Structure formats: structure tokens, C-alpha cells
Amino acid sequence: MSDLANREFSAPGRGRGLKEALKYRYLLKLLVDKEIQVRYRGSVLGIVWSYIKPAVQFLVFYLALGIFLGLEKGLQNYSVYLFSGIIVINFFSECFSNGARAFVVNGALIKKIYLPRQLFSLSTIWVGIIHFLPQILVLIVACFAVGWHPDLKQIAAAIAGIVLIMLFGLAAGMIFGVANVFFRDSENLVDMFLMMATWLSPVMYSWTMVAREVQIANIEKIYMTNPISVAVELFHYAFWQPTLSIEQQQMLAEQGNWYMFPHLLTVWVPIALVISLLLLMIANSLFRRFEGNFAQEL
């Protein structure tokens, strides 16, 4: 009786959220393996698509914006600038879109057996990392080809950008994953938000254009409250800026085309991390509140 008295009970079908899910590493590995196998079942190229899709995306944007609209003339090594932003957006898109569909896609498992359901959300982050690694390797090779010379602070900035996207993508995916269980229209909202994220982040243009063209006081600070924008700027700082000479950086700053966002590392990275963690806490709270109804809704 003493063991029963000390044991912590919970309502059937409800777990303890992320804290519990993180303990089941073996199950997490199985879910990641399953996601990869299902995605590429019957595919000839398999994971090679992780190279092809961003390459085509990069070529389209580079031709349309860099060549036709002339952005390449205003930013040296624009191809590196563009691709470093694209892979951040692709990483977020992978985490967010798959996370929003995770519970519905795995509905059969949720209805048949009990396991910590947030494992499905965590698995989407690891799947996103698997597809992100080939892209970042290509970026690093391209950076070395044009004279990349980063310091430790810039490498740390890249790691911070990856962690930021993982946290923000997990939180956003979990919130919309819960909503998608009850309202399938949520998937359409996800697609719309991903389109907005691509164009409302400094992926294809410089953040200085926002401050220069939008005549609203402190618009650039409002713009940088978006954690994705902060992560993109961290990647520009880590991968693109070290490919420029000191003279090129000074010239761009004088022209107003690009310079690092003021206090990016000391102020805006902590703000973005706090926003992402708060959103993750909200997501975890929503998940724990509605998890018990997942089986009957699915």
C-alpha cells in the first residue's frame, strides 16, 4: 500500500508532456526511422531530394531576385547570403509543417496504444535535422570556395540559430498539431504562415531595406521580434559575413545595404530565445490539456 500511496497517477490517456517524452529515446529513434522510411518509400533518389529541392529553390530565387531584380549587384556574394537564409527557412518549414501534421498522421498509433504523444512532435525535429545537415554541408563547401574565415563567435552564432529554430519550430508545430486534431483547417493556415515566414524574414533581401523603405518608427525592432528573422541574421553573420573582406563590409555599411543588426548577439538572441521558450511552454500546456481527447477525435 505504501508503494501505491507514493505513486503519482494521471488521467488515462494523458502523459506529463515533454518531460516524460524525453525519457523515451529508443522510441524516439524508432519514430524517426519510421518517418524517413515512409517518406522515401518507393522513391528512387531517397534522401538525395534533400539536396535537389533546396538547389532548385535557390536557383529560382537567385535568378529572379539576384539576376533579374539586380540584388546581386548590391550585395557581394549574394548567392551565399541567399542560400544561408533559404536553409534556415527550409529547416523551420520542415519542423513546423511536419509538427502540425504529426498527431493526425500518427492517428492510428495514438488510437491503438499509449506512448508519450509528444514523441511525435520531437521526432519531426530530428527528421528536420536529418534533412538540414546535407544543406548546411553544401553551404559550408560553398563558403570555403569564396573565402570563408569565421571566428568562434560566428560559429557559436550558427549553433544558436539552429537551436532557436528547433525551439520555435517545435513550439509552433505542437500548437498547430493540437489544433489540427480538432480543426483540419489548421493545415491551410500552416501553409499560409510558411509563405509569410519566407517573405517576412531577411532571406532574399537585407533587413536594412525594411528600415529604409517602411516608414514606421522602430519597424526594424518589430521585425526582429520574429525569432526566424533573428535565426536568419545569425546565419548571415556566421556564413555570409566571413566571406567578405573588411573593405567590402565597410563599403556595404556605408551604402546602407547591409550591416549586422545592432545588438544582435547580446539583446535580440536572448529575446528570441525567451519568446521561443514561452511559446514552447504554452504549447506544452495546450498539449497536456487536450491530449486526453486525441484518440476520440482522431
Side-chain angles (χ1 to χ4, degrees):
M1 289 297 293
S2 58
D3 290 340
L4 288 175
N6 294 327
R7 187 174 299 174
E8 186 176 346
F9 291 94
S10 61
R14 295 184 61 183
R16 301 175 186 173
L18 282 173
K19 183 179 179 181
E20 180 185 20
L22 289 170
K23 299 178 181 178
Y24 293 81
R25 295 183 181 87
Y26 180 69
L27 279 178
L28 179 60
K29 180 180 181 300
L30 291 179
L31 286 175
V32 172
D33 291 342
K34 177 188 78 72
E35 291 295 328
I36 296 295
Q37 291 172 10
V38 169
R39 179 173 301 193
Y40 296 115
R41 182 180 298 161
S43 172
V44 175
L45 296 178
I47 203 166
V48 175
W49 284 108
S50 297
Y51 296 89
I52 297 175
K53 288 181 179 179
V56 172
Q57 187 180 15
F58 165 74
L59 287 173
V60 170
F61 285 138
Y62 182 73
L63 286 173
L65 300 170
I67 304 299
F68 299 152
L69 295 182
L71 290 182
E72 185 185 38
K73 297 176 183 178
L75 288 173
Q76 282 83 2
N77 294 338
Y78 177 69
S79 57
V80 174
Y81 183 93
L82 178 61
F83 192 67
S84 59
I86 283 176
I87 66 172
V88 173
I89 287 294
N90 285 348
F91 185 28
F92 174 73
S93 298
E94 182 89 15
C95 296
F96 182 30
S97 60
N98 290 340
R101 299 175 176 89
F103 304 128
V104 172
V105 168
N106 292 284
L109 278 175
I110 290 175
K111 288 186 288 186
K112 288 179 181 178
I113 60 173
Y114 174 76
L115 72 165
R117 280 110 182 229
Q118 280 182 317
L119 282 172
F120 299 118
S121 296
L122 290 172
S123 69
T124 63
I125 302 300
W126 284 105
V127 171
I129 291 172
I130 290 171
H131 291 101
F132 174 70
L133 288 176
Q135 299 176 37
I136 201 169
L137 287 175
V138 171
L139 174 62
I140 290 172
V141 170
C143 287
F144 275 122
V146 293
W148 190 45
H149 50 277
D151 57 28
L152 290 177
K153 188 164 67 172
Q154 288 164 329
I155 293 173
I159 296 171
I162 293 171
V163 172
L164 190 56
I165 290 296
M166 288 172 62
L167 291 174
F168 191 61
L170 176 61
M174 197 182 303
I175 289 173
F176 277 85
V178 172
N180 198 33
V181 171
F182 301 94
F183 309 103
R184 297 297 192 272
D185 289 346
S186 300
E187 292 191 15
N188 295 318
L189 288 175
V190 168
D191 294 335
M192 183 177 67
F193 287 146
L194 287 176
M195 181 272 293
M196 293 170 61
T198 302
W199 292 98
L200 294 179
S201 302
V203 175
M204 292 162 276
Y205 55 86
S206 167
W207 71 266
T208 55
M209 295 178 66
V210 177
R212 186 169 61 245
E213 301 297 335
V214 182
Q215 302 302 314
I216 299 176
N218 296 317
I219 184 62
E220 69 277 10
K221 294 180 180 178
I222 298 172
Y223 182 79
M224 290 299 287
T225 55
N226 174 10
I228 304 173
S229 294
V230 175
V232 170
E233 279 302 292
L234 285 171
F235 263 57
H236 287 157
Y237 172 66
F239 294 101
W240 177 70
Q241 185 178 341
T243 67
L244 305 176
S245 65
I246 300 297
E247 293 76 15
Q248 287 175 323
Q249 293 182 43
Q250 290 175 345
M251 182 181 68
L252 287 172
E254 290 170 0
Q255 293 173 349
N257 286 332
W258 185 89
Y259 48 92
M260 189 172 73
F261 196 89
H263 312 296
L264 176 67
L265 302 178
T266 57
V267 174
W268 292 99
V269 169
I271 287 175
L273 284 172
V274 168
I275 291 172
S276 299
L277 288 171
L278 285 175
L279 194 66
L280 187 58
M281 290 173 61
I282 293 171
N284 194 47
S285 177
L286 286 173
F287 175 85
R288 295 194 65 185
R289 179 176 179 181
F290 294 105
E291 178 193 8
N293 297 324
F294 278 10
Q296 66 188 46
E297 292 293 334
L298 293 170

